[in-house]
């Protein structure tokens, strides 16, 4: 295939990226953009973080940055990485290296000046490309052909790449879900199966990072089925997975015109009850906010089946808009043959059409009726709120007076000695 060029790429030719490259490309040293930024640029996709490889040693990178008044942070100095920051934009700059010994994320490295050796230590061919400041793409590993074929392939021996860091098993499926097409590369797939016992040694934080990225990838549903067929998902979730519900969640997001939500999709895939949420939280070290969302989603979501709008309004009042939507989305994804029923869209979008009023009765309304401050007052307020909800949120004075009077009468009757 012809070698493409990025000569006209504005992100490369001007701004902070051009400034960093100009600082590093001088006095016999060379720097090139590496990895994901090159891949995405060639695929016409948005560019995220920009990583740079350089022949300059870390101390020299820091010296040049300081001379150019660029902030330099030695984020991974033992492995040759210095982060340069310009106008709040970080650039990871790493000296060309060769991994001598590898132990997961830890490795003994030797710095060098050989671009091919540096490319050969990377994970996948489409991540092993470089582009120079003038837009010329350099391919030492066959990455251009694999990008054209949308094929995710390990560089060199897949088993060796995986043994260097077992997280690459998850990355294989995540990168395939995001950028690949068709079935996963056979050699890589077989190596992932052979190396799956190594997943047990990965930290929960690293598993969370990769799996939440996979959840929102373009072909996440197909990738997760492939992982399940390979005997990988059970090792990660330690529970039943629901591929149909996961596919339905994606369809529901599209029907509502909302973007992919990793936690919603994880709930559809692996949460049926609150115990599932707790287990996933521990195994993946989810954040408190993520755990609370999953726990709420798993709490009696099935009660949404057959719910009318009056009950839905009361549920929205109790849960709040965010938790209500999450639970409705999970119920919708689990609806099975009823997935296409119009009620699900109506129920899920209720917060867009209606905002629950605030409970209008106050403590003073009951103190004036002889209820003393303390636990009794709190109990009466709860009873009154329940009655107000059962009557579907009346706001007129007569109805509110009736609720207050009846609640006090009921409380007094029930607590009379």
């Amino acid at each position: 295939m012809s070698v493409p060029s990025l000569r006209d790429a504005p992100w490369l030719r001007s701004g902070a990226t051009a400034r960093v490259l100009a600082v590093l490309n001088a006095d016999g040293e060379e720097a090139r953009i590496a990895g994901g930024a090159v891949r995405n640029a060639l695929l016409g996709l948005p560019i995220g973080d920009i990583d740079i490889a350089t022949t300059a040693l870390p101390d020299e990178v820091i010296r040049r940055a300081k001379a150019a008044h660029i902030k330099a942070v030695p984020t991974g100095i033992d492995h040759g990485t210095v982060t340069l920051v310009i106008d709040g934009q970080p650039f990871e700059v790493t000296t060309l290296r060769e991994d001598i010994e590898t132990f997961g994320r830890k490795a003994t490295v030797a710095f060098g000046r050989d671009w091919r050796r540096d490319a050969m230590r990377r994970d996948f061919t489409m991540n092993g490309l470089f582009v120079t400041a003038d837009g010329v793409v350099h391919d030492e590993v066959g990455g251009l052909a694999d990008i054209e074929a949308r094929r995710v392939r390990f560089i060199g021996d897949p088993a060796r790449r995986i043994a260097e860091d077992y997280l690459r098993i998850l990355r294989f499926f995540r990168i395939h879900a995001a950028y690949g097409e068709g079935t996963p590369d056979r050699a890589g797939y077989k190596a992932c199966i052979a190396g799956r016992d190594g997943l047990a040694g990965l930290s929960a934080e690293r598993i969370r990072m990769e799996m939440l990225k996979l959840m929102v990838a373009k072909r996440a549903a197909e990738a997760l089925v492939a992982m399940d067929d390979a005997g990988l998902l059970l090792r990660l979730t330690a529970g039943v997975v629901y591929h149909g519900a996961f596919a339905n969640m994606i369809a529901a997001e599209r029907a509502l015109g909302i973007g992919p939500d990793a936690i919603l999709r994880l709930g559809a895939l692996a949460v049926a009850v609150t115990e599932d949420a707790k287990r996933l939280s521990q195994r993946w070290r989810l954040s408190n906010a993520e755990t609370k969302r999953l726990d709420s989603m798993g709490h009696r979501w099935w009660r949404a089946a057959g719910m009318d709008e009056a009950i839905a309004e009361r549920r929205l009042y109790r849960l709040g808009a965010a938790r209500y939507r999450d639970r409705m989305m999970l119920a919708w994804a689990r609806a099975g043959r009823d997935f296409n029923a119009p009620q699900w869209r109506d129920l899920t979008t209720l917060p867009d059409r209606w905002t629950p009023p605030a409970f209008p009765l106050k403590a003073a309304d009951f103190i004036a009726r002889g209820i003393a401050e303390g636990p009794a007052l709190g109990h009466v307020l709860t009873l009154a709120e329940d009655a107000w909800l059962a009557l579907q949120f009346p706001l007129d004075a007569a109805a509110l007076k009736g609720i207050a009077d009846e609640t006090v009468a009921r409380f007094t009757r029930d607590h009379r000695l």
Side-chain angles (χ1 to χ4, degrees), residues 69-137:
H69 305 290
I70 296 173
K71 181 179 179 181
V73 183
T75 46
I77 197 74
D78 291 341
H79 296 109
T81 300
V82 177
T83 299
L84 304 186
V85 184
I86 299 179
D87 298 330
Q89 182 178 357
F91 296 85
E92 277 200 359
V93 179
T94 303
T95 303
L96 297 188
R97 72 189 197 203
E98 180 181 2
D99 293 338
I100 305 303
E101 291 183 280
T102 56
F103 313 94
R105 298 190 76 184
K106 299 178 181 179
T108 301
V109 303
F111 299 134
R113 303 179 67 85
D114 189 318
W115 290 96
R116 176 172 173 75
R117 283 177 179 270
D118 187 83
M120 290 299 295
R121 72 174 177 79
R122 297 173 183 268
D123 49 10
F124 308 110
T125 58
M126 63 171 57
N127 291 344
L129 302 172
F130 302 106
V131 63
T132 51
D134 58 1
V136 176
V137 177

Side-chain angles (χ1 to χ4, degrees), residues 214-359:
L214 192 157
M215 290 291 146
V216 298
K218 185 177 181 180
R219 294 177 179 82
E222 297 95 319
L224 288 167
V225 170
M227 291 180 73
D228 205 9
D229 291 344
L232 301 173
L233 268 190
L234 181 60
R235 293 167 182 256
L236 297 168
T237 65
V240 177
V241 292
Y242 305 88
H243 293 292
F246 187 86
N248 282 346
M249 183 63 81
I250 295 173
E253 290 172 342
R254 290 173 179 168
L256 296 178
I258 61 177
D261 185 314
I263 298 302
L264 272 180
R265 293 186 178 189
L266 178 58
L269 179 71
V271 175
V273 292
T274 55
E275 286 78 5
D276 293 331
K278 293 179 175 65
R279 185 185 64 255
L280 282 169
S281 175
Q282 293 171 354
R283 292 182 68 86
W284 292 16
R285 202 67 59 82
L286 298 174
S287 70
N288 289 337
E290 291 163 349
T291 300
K292 288 178 180 178
R293 283 189 70 190
L294 285 180
D295 185 74
S296 176
M297 289 166 66
H299 186 76
R300 300 181 181 180
W301 54 267
W302 52 87
R303 293 171 60 185
M307 182 187 296
D308 61 27
E309 190 149 312
I311 296 175
E313 287 179 352
R314 294 198 291 272
R315 198 66 52 80
L316 173 56
Y317 174 85
R318 293 291 196 191
L319 294 173
R323 291 173 63 196
Y324 171 88
R325 283 194 186 94
D326 281 353
R327 203 173 294 183
M328 289 301 106
M329 289 287 284
L330 182 59
W332 187 1
R334 293 273 165 80
R337 289 177 296 180
D338 295 328
F339 175 78
N340 291 317
Q343 73 179 59
W344 292 112
R345 186 186 185 100
D346 293 340
L347 288 172
T348 304
T349 58
L350 177 61
D352 300 331
R353 306 189 306 274
W354 181 76
T355 300
F359 180 47

